[in-house]
């Protein structure tokens, strides 16, 4: 989800690896151990939660999380919680990284000290404030100054324990005075519109002369400040909850008698010092935060066209795409945006065929074909991950779920057997599991995505042509990807492929490791399979699978997925679960006078229907066929004022920003509240995608609810009145491939710009090769340059295209710097990232002058 910024689209995303915590404080009880989990928060809004690691003070999580960030934020925070069965879970500590500091830790494992958490430091949101100083003449003729303080509105306040009933206190404070006033409480909203004005007397009428009176005023105003405190009106016995504060010295009125600005709320400075940070332990994280600033499509035409013709360049090593792979530190960096760009424009098969064919020609031993981390290998991996995720779920998810649920012992290492376990029984359990997974894979060829089959066909042809004396190379060229790099990793770590929500428990993880090893060996068609195992117990177990039927099944499967004349997939698809989880629903009522309340339900989306259930695994209470989804849109907050919206959820001080959406059907709309903004975006996106091709999709909708006999948005009295706002749309119908070509080109530009020195070094290498045909200089030997002249020509075009885009970005920054105002709604006072931006632009401007 992009944020529009004066014609430029800004995309934010974050990829996080939550490693482990260590040296957590012991529990004050006999066991001293804790049951801990970690949450990821955008400011105070929880967007992800790890599994619970029981009975440990050094819990290992090993979980990955990726999301597109659909809103602005100030901090990326991580909280360690200790589960409490009888009371609310308690917070042990947190790590809070300011947005402007994220680049310091970009893509490297870092240990962070856990910090103490207290209510006074947990703030988010912003306030719009106006001040005006006016002269007032009293009845006795004395001139008096009065300060008018207007609290206009707040935005993005946290929701605490499922509700937000905010009010503000406004205090005029000085060395010898403190006068406080209070707004009305605004119920059930985290974006309150106060619009209240409070008057304070700044200078008291007294018997001073006019001159001395003026001197006193100047001195007095300098020492005074307005303090605004935001509170959540709570019914709890602990009292109202502090939401944040701001302090404004009246010095701001020196230049003008009126002042207006937006402010970020700040933590309360209570003067107390927290304990030593190492008292709470530490947390290991790897964070990759990306912010893409994307222009309109025409800006990228020269670079994009150069990249898209890469498959047609002879030799392919002289193409722009191949050059990107040569200059990037890791091939994966280049492969991700390249594959997405080529997939978007339908050019991925010819490009991968070209670079794979070139790699096969350079390979000397058929046993090492595609075994390295080359650009071709990484591009094929990325294509399988994007185009094949749906296929992977169809094939493996039922078997993985069965293994996780049945939980049969499968340890076959005699040294690791537990008391009471039988080796023969364990072997039989494992054999049954391997058979189940193996048959699921080898019988899935008809479902393999066309783009993967076309790539496998080109790999097979290139390998067979290069190594004509090896009859098996046409199989191993394909199996090295589909088994070794696709199915085996998914079996080994199903959570990384969304086959399970979290890491599996140790016993199941061990079972999946043994299955993955066996399936990988079966797929490799190795001549001496038993000898390929280092462990004797694995060689013994593999004797079960030495029958020819297993090799035949693998070959038949590989023939099917790498054949150009592959038959079409089955016309009747089995229902595939695309997304599921708990949310809160509020229906319009299936009966005219039925109940219309909020309830927590388990929602489940397949490629056939959208249903909700009382609990996971129950029969559906309600079903919407995909073809009946006419639109999926956000719902404006004031529709329900969050009435009862989160009361059924067990939540802690960690807060959520309410985000409701509606699934519109022919008869009524289903109103749903997700748990956070990231989850809401995911549901809206996937529901929109699966219903995108419905013939009766709406073009207009009602952004608010139908309540009390009319639509809140347009006041139309009929519940069947046409919508009053245009529907959002433009998403592709294909579930897997929601790709923005301009965004990928921008990412490729950023990589070229980052590695500009290597591009220039590669130009030097081309020149050196052209004029000197002797041994290569060591500094140039890392580059693959088959045709120096053609490569130099492409490099020149790349550098020119990158330079042009760099100038556009620089001009945009200069223009933005001139237009932006500190204290505006977009950049409130207290926005440190904007302060840094202003400082950088000022330095740049001074340098250029």
């Amino acid at each position: 989800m992009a944020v529009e910024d004066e014609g430029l689209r800004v995309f934010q995303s974050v990829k996080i690896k939550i490693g482990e915590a260590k040296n957590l404080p012991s529990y004050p009880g006999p066991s001293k151990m804790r049951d801990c989990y970690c949450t990821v928060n955008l400011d105070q809004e929880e967007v992800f939660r790890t599994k619970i690691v029981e009975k440990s003070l050094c819990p290992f999580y090993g979980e990955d999380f990726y999301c597109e960030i659909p809103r602005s934020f100030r901090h990326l925070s991580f909280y360690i919680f200790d589960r409490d069965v009888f009371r609310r879970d308690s917070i042990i500590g947190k790590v809070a990284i300011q947005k402007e500091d994220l680049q310091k830790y970009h893509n490297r494992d870092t240990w962070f000290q856990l910090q103490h958490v207290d209510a006074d430091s947990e703030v988010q949101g912003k306030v719009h404030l106006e001040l005006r100083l006016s002269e007032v003449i009293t009845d006795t003729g004395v001139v008096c100054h009065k300060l008018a303080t207007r609290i206009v509105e707040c935005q993005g306040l946290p929701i605490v324990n499922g509700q937000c009933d905010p009010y503000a206190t406004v205090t005029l404070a000085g060395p010898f005075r403190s006068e406080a006033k209070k707004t009305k409480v605004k119920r059930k909203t985290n974006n309150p519109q106060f619009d209240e004005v409070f008057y304070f007397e700044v200078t008291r009428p007294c018997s001073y002369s006019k001159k001395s009176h003026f001197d006193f005023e100047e001195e007095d105003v300098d020492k005074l400040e307005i303090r605004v405190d935001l509170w959540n009106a709570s019914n709890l016995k602990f009292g109202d909850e502090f939401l944040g504060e701001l302090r404004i010295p009246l010095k701001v009125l020196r230049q003008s008698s009126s002042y207006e600005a937006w402010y970020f709320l700040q933590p309360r400075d209570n003067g107390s010092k927290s304990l030593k940070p190492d008292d709470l332990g530490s947390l290991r994280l790897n964070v990759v935060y990306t912010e893409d600033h994307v222009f309109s499509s025409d800006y990228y035409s020269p670079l994009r066209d150069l990249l898209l013709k890469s498959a047609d360049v002879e030799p392919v090593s002289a193409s722009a795409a191949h050059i990107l792979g040569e200059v990037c530190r890791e091939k994966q960096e280049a492969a991700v945006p390249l594959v997405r760009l080529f997939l978007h424009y339908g050019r991925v098969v010819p490009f991968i065929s070209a670079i794979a064919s070139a790699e096969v020609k350079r390979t000397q031993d058929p046993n090492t074909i595609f075994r390295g981390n080359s650009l071709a290998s990484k591009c094929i991996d990325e294509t399988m991950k994007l185009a094949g995720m749906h296929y992977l779920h169809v094939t493996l998810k039922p078997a993985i779920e069965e293994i996780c649920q049945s939980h049969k012992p499968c340890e076959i290492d005699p040294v690791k057997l537990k008391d009471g376990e039988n080796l023969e029984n364990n072997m039989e359990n494992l054999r049954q599991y391997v058979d189940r997974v193996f048959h699921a894979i080898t019988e899935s060829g008809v479902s393999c995505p066309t783009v993967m089959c076309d790539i496998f066909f080109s790999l097979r042809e290139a390998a067979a042509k290069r190594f004509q004396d090896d009859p098996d190379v046409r199989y191993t060229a394909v199996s090295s990807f589909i088994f070794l790099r696709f199915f085996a990793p998914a079996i080994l770590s199903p959570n990384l492929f969304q086959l399970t929500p979290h890491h599996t428990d140790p016993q199941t993880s061990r079972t999946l490791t043994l299955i993955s090893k066996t399936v990988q060996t079966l797929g490799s068609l190795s001549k001496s399979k038993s000898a390929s195992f280092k462990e004797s117990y694995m060689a013994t177990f593999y004797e079960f699978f030495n029958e020819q039927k297993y090799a035949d099944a693998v070959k038949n499967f590989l023939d099917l997925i790498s054949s150009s004349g592959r038959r079409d997939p089955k016309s009747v698809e089995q229902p595939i679960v695309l997304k599921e989880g708990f949310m809160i629903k509020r229906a319009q009522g299936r009966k005219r006078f039925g109940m219309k309340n909020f309830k927590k339900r388990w929602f489940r989306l397949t490629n056939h229907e959208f249903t909700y259930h009382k609990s996971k695994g129950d029969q559906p209470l309600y079903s919407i066929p995909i073809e009946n989804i006419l639109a999926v849109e956000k719902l404006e907050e004031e529709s329900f004022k969050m009435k009862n919206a989160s009361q059924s959820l067990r939540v802690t001080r960690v807060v959520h920003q309410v985000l409701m959406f509606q699934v519109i059907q022919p008869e009524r709309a289903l109103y749903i509240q997700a748990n956070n903004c990231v989850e809401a975006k995911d549901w809206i996106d996937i529901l929109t995608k699966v219903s995108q091709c419905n013939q009766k999709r709406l073009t207009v909708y009602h952004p608010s609810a139908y309540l009390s006999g009319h639509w809140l948005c347009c006041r139309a009295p009929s519940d069947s009145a046409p919508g009053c706002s245009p529907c959002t749309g433009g998403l592709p119908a294909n579930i897997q491939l929601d790709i923005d070509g301009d965004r990928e080109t921008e990412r490729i530009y950023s990589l070229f710009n980052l590695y500009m020195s290597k591009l220039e070094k590669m130009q030097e290498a081309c020149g050196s090769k052209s004029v000197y045909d002797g041994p290569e200089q060591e500094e140039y030997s890392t580059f693959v340059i088959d045709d120096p002249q053609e490569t130099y020509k492409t490099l020149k075009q790349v550098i020119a295209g990158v330079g042009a885009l760099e100038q556009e970005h620089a001009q945009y920054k200069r223009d933005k710097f001139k237009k932006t105002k500190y204290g505006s709604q977009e950049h409130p006072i207290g926005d440190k990232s904007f302060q840094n931006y202003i400082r950088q632009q000022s330095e740049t401007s001074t340098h250029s002058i």
Side-chain angles (χ1 to χ4, degrees):
M1 187 178 292
V3 178
E4 291 287 342
D5 187 1
E6 297 182 9
L8 195 81
R9 291 179 300 143
V10 181
F11 296 87
Q12 302 174 103
S13 62
V14 66
K15 183 169 68 174
I16 300 163
K17 291 184 179 179
I18 303 171
E20 60 188 310
K22 67 178 182 181
N23 302 328
L24 299 180
S26 57
Y27 184 77
S31 72
K32 301 195 177 205
M33 295 292 109
R34 294 182 182 269
D35 300 338
C36 295
Y37 61 91
C38 179
T39 68
V40 180
N41 294 55
L42 293 174
D43 297 320
Q44 299 301 301
E45 182 181 8
E46 181 183 318
V47 295
F48 178 73
R49 180 179 294 200
T50 68
K51 65 179 180 183
I52 296 171
V53 177
E54 298 181 343
K55 298 181 176 59
S56 175
L57 298 180
C58 296
F60 176 80
Y61 298 108
E63 298 203 34
D64 293 6
F65 172 65
Y66 172 85
C67 76
E68 297 282 331
I69 301 174
R71 64 171 178 85
S72 59
F73 70 100
R74 295 168 65 191
H75 294 88
L76 182 65
S77 302
F78 304 83
Y79 292 80
I80 298 291
F81 282 85
D82 183 16
R83 179 182 61 180
D84 193 315
V85 177
F86 303 106
R87 294 173 295 176
R88 283 184 184 164
D89 299 346
S90 57
I91 301 177
I92 295 174
K94 74 169 182 179
V95 172
I97 309 173
Q98 292 182 348
K99 180 181 176 180
E100 55 270 21
D101 292 335
L102 286 169
Q103 287 303 319
K104 294 180 187 176
Y105 310 106
H106 184 80
N107 201 21
R108 57 190 178 89
D109 280 7
T110 307
W111 283 98
F112 293 90
Q113 296 292 332
L114 289 173
Q115 305 295 323
H116 283 271
V117 177
D118 61 83
D120 288 352
S121 67
E122 300 290 281
V123 301
Q124 74 175 56
K126 52 190 176 184
V127 182
H128 187 194
L129 187 77
E130 292 180 8
L131 301 177
R132 185 177 296 276
L133 195 61
S134 307
E135 285 190 350
V136 179
I137 302 176
T138 66
D139 294 339
T140 58
V142 178
V143 176
C144 166
H145 283 74
K146 291 215 169 182
L147 175 70
T149 304
R150 181 184 175 211
I151 305 292
V152 184
E153 62 178 311
C154 297
Q155 289 186 356
L157 297 179
I159 295 163
V160 185
N161 299 324
Q163 58 93 220
C164 188
D165 297 334
Y167 69 90
T169 59
V170 183
T171 306
L172 179 64
F176 307 108
R177 63 185 297 192
S178 180
E179 185 179 352
K181 304 191 178 184
K182 176 182 169 183
T183 68
K184 295 175 183 175
V185 175
K186 297 294 181 180
R187 298 288 176 186
K188 298 181 175 63
T189 177
N190 65 334
N191 297 308
Q193 299 281 330
F194 291 112
D195 201 14
E196 293 190 42
V197 182
F198 301 99
Y199 293 95
F200 299 92
E201 192 177 293
V202 175
T203 53
R204 297 177 178 81
C206 51
S207 57
Y208 295 126
S209 68
K210 283 192 174 180
K211 185 173 185 307
S212 63
H213 168 77
F214 182 78
D215 290 341
F216 176 77
E217 176 203 329
E218 284 290 302
E219 179 186 11
D220 200 19
V221 168
D222 275 0
K223 293 181 179 178
L224 294 176
E225 70 174 10
I226 282 288
R227 192 177 77 236
V228 179
D229 294 273
L230 267 293
W231 299 86
N232 179 39
S234 172
N235 296 321
L236 300 176
K237 62 182 179 181
F238 306 111
D240 296 347
E241 286 136 328
F242 175 75
L243 299 180
E245 72 169 17
L246 59 94
R247 295 168 180 256
I248 307 171
L250 293 196
K251 293 175 186 177
V252 297
L253 294 169
R254 276 181 172 177
Q255 304 297 324
S256 171
S257 61
S258 63
Y259 175 80
E260 175 267 334
W262 283 83
Y263 281 82
F264 272 133
L265 286 170
Q266 300 296 331
R268 182 156 51 192
D269 182 11
N270 54 20
S272 64
K273 299 292 183 183
S274 63
L275 300 176
K276 293 180 182 178
D278 57 358
D279 289 344
L280 298 175
S282 53
L283 179 65
R284 179 167 59 86
L285 301 166
N286 186 304
V287 179
V288 177
Y289 171 72
T290 307
E291 198 171 286
D292 299 316
H293 297 258
V294 182
F295 291 111
S296 58
S297 192
D298 53 305
Y299 284 83
Y300 298 104
S301 293
L303 182 58
R304 181 177 57 239
D305 294 346
L306 190 62
L307 289 160
L308 290 176
K309 71 177 186 181
S310 293
D312 304 321
V313 174
E314 285 288 344
V316 73
S317 60
S319 68
H322 194 280
I323 286 170
L324 181 66
E326 289 298 295
V327 298
C328 283
R329 188 181 62 177
E330 296 177 1
K331 304 294 185 190
Q332 182 75 10
E333 277 184 296
V336 172
L338 283 174
V339 165
R340 294 176 70 87
L341 180 72
F342 286 126
L343 273 170
H344 182 70
Y345 288 100
R347 297 286 295 160
V348 76
V349 174
F351 170 65
I352 288 180
S353 298
I355 58 174
S357 179
E359 182 176 332
V360 168
K361 287 176 184 175
R362 288 193 292 268
T363 304
Q364 302 302 317
D365 183 353
N367 293 316
T368 62
I369 195 165
F370 297 122
R371 289 299 170 93
N373 288 322
S374 63
L375 182 64
S377 296
K378 290 297 182 184
C379 283
I380 296 170
D381 288 350
E382 192 61 28
T383 304
M384 292 192 299
K385 195 183 298 180
L386 282 169
M389 193 58 73
H390 181 66
Y391 166 53
L392 187 73
H393 280 223
V394 173
T395 306
L396 287 185
K397 195 166 187 178
I400 297 294
E401 285 181 344
E402 180 190 322
I403 292 165
C404 292
Q405 289 166 10
S406 58
H407 215 252
K408 294 178 183 176
C410 294
E411 183 54 70
I412 57 172
D413 183 352
V415 178
K416 295 182 180 178
L417 278 183
K418 295 178 182 175
D419 292 341
E421 287 186 354
N422 180 282
L423 183 60
E424 290 183 3
N425 290 343
N426 286 10
M427 277 196 171
E428 179 57 23
N429 291 339
L430 184 60
R431 188 191 66 77
Q432 289 177 7
Y433 282 156
V434 170
D435 265 337
R436 171 91 164 82
V437 172
F438 178 77
H439 286 112
I441 293 171
T442 53
E443 291 169 9
S444 70
V446 74
S447 303
C448 187
T450 303
V451 67
M452 287 171 60
C453 295
D454 291 344
I455 289 170
F456 294 150
F457 175 72
S458 67
L459 298 183
R460 171 184 175 141
E461 293 296 295
K465 185 177 178 181
R466 173 76 174 84
F467 301 104
Q468 297 179 14
D469 296 333
D470 189 331
D472 285 335
V473 74
R474 62 194 180 123
Y475 295 116
T476 55
V478 178
S479 70
S480 63
F481 286 104
I482 195 71
F483 279 99
L484 185 66
R485 294 171 178 261
F486 188 61
F487 285 122
I491 298 166
L492 185 65
S493 303
N495 63 300
L496 299 182
F497 296 82
Q498 293 81 53
L499 293 167
T500 59
H502 297 294
H503 268 300
T504 52
D505 61 83
Q507 179 180 313
T508 305
S509 181
R510 172 65 174 163
T511 298
L512 292 173
T513 300
L514 296 171
I515 295 170
S516 180
K517 280 185 175 184
T518 311
V519 167
Q520 185 176 315
T521 306
L522 280 167
S524 69
L525 295 170
S526 171
K527 305 284 191 303
S528 176
K529 293 173 183 175
S530 296
S532 64
F533 292 110
K534 289 182 273 186
E535 308 93 341
S536 59
Y537 61 84
M538 283 300 299
T540 303
F541 173 69
Y542 199 82
E543 296 299 325
F544 284 119
F545 304 98
N546 273 334
E547 297 177 47
Q548 186 60 34
K549 67 177 183 179
Y550 289 101
D552 291 343
V554 170
K555 288 185 176 181
N556 289 338
F557 169 67
L558 295 174
D559 279 335
L560 182 58
I561 65 171
S562 61
S563 132
S564 60
R566 188 181 68 102
R567 58 196 174 94
D568 291 329
K570 296 173 184 175
S571 57
V572 181
E573 275 190 322
Q574 292 296 311
I576 303 303
V577 178
L578 302 175
K579 188 170 178 62
E580 55 186 346
F582 276 114
M583 291 189 290
I584 294 168
K585 68 95 185 172
R586 194 272 190 192
Q588 287 282 58
R590 277 173 271 168
K591 297 179 183 176
R592 191 139 187 96
F593 300 102
M595 293 291 289
K596 302 177 183 179
N597 56 346
F598 285 93
K599 288 186 178 177
K600 182 179 177 182
R601 291 289 181 253
W602 180 264
F603 284 82
R604 178 184 172 97
L605 175 66
T606 72
N607 52 342
H608 291 183
E609 61 182 354
F610 182 48
T611 58
Y612 64 76
H613 315 243
K614 190 169 184 179
S615 298
K616 184 178 181 180
D618 289 352
Q619 289 298 309
L621 298 173
Y622 188 61
S623 169
I624 306 173
I626 294 299
E627 59 269 22
N628 282 1
I629 297 178
L630 305 184
V632 184
E633 299 288 346
K634 288 182 182 178
L635 190 68
E636 290 180 356
E637 180 205 330
E638 59 268 20
S639 294
F640 299 113
K641 292 288 185 183
M642 302 185 305
K643 183 178 178 182
N644 300 324
S646 289
Q647 290 173 5
S648 59
L649 291 180
R650 182 172 181 265
V651 292
T652 63
R653 172 64 182 165
V654 178
V655 296
H656 302 282
Q657 184 167 329
V658 171
L659 212 163
M660 296 192 73
F661 63 94
Q662 51 183 316
V663 180
I664 304 171
Q665 313 162 66
E667 305 84 14
R668 66 184 70 84
L670 176 65
Y671 298 135
I672 301 170
Q673 179 189 316
N675 295 314
N676 58 66
C677 65
V678 172
E679 184 181 63
K681 177 187 179 297
D682 289 345
W683 275 107
I684 292 170
D685 282 356
I686 197 164
L687 281 163
T688 301
K689 288 171 197 172
V690 297
S691 61
Q692 189 73 28
C693 293
N694 289 350
Q695 293 182 353
K696 296 181 180 179
R697 275 189 68 85
L698 298 177
T699 55
V700 290
Y701 78 107
H702 292 285
S704 292
Y706 183 81
L707 289 175
S708 305
H710 63 265
W711 292 99
L712 298 180
C713 43
C714 60
R715 316 299 293 181
S718 170
D719 60 358
S720 58
C724 55
S725 295
C727 287
T728 56
L731 289 168
N734 188 312
I735 292 170
Q736 289 80 30
L737 307 180
D738 181 10
I739 295 171
D740 186 314
D742 296 333
R743 184 182 182 184
E744 301 311 324
T745 312
E746 169 65 27
R747 286 182 168 179
I748 291 169
Y749 147 75
S750 298
L751 287 170
F752 274 135
N753 201 32
L754 179 64
Y755 294 108
M756 182 57 72
S757 60
K758 282 196 172 183
L759 287 172
E760 292 165 350
K761 187 74 71 177
M762 200 170 181
Q763 271 191 319
E764 292 175 18
C766 289
S768 175
K769 273 202 163 195
S770 296
V771 298
Y772 175 64
D773 200 23
E776 270 189 297
Q777 294 183 39
E778 188 176 343
E779 61 179 327
Y780 302 146
S781 62
T782 56
F783 300 123
V784 174
I785 302 173
D786 297 319
D787 185 330
Q789 290 184 333
E790 193 67 30
T791 304
Y792 186 89
K793 184 172 131 187
T794 305
L795 281 163
K796 191 174 178 181
Q797 291 173 297
V798 167
I799 291 171
V802 170
L805 279 169
E806 175 65 13
Q807 286 182 0
E808 294 293 347
H809 276 286
Q811 185 61 48
Y812 167 79
K813 288 178 182 177
R814 285 192 294 270
D815 292 344
K816 183 179 178 182
F817 180 62
K818 290 175 186 175
K819 294 175 186 175
T820 46
K821 177 189 172 187
Y822 190 47
S824 64
Q825 186 175 358
E826 294 75 22
H827 301 288
I829 293 171
D831 183 350
K832 292 185 179 178
S833 61
F834 185 67
Q835 288 174 308
N836 290 343
Y837 172 76
I838 289 176
R839 187 172 61 251
Q840 290 167 7
Q841 292 304 308
S842 299
E843 290 169 359
T844 304
S845 302
T846 304
H847 179 71
S848 60
I849 290 168

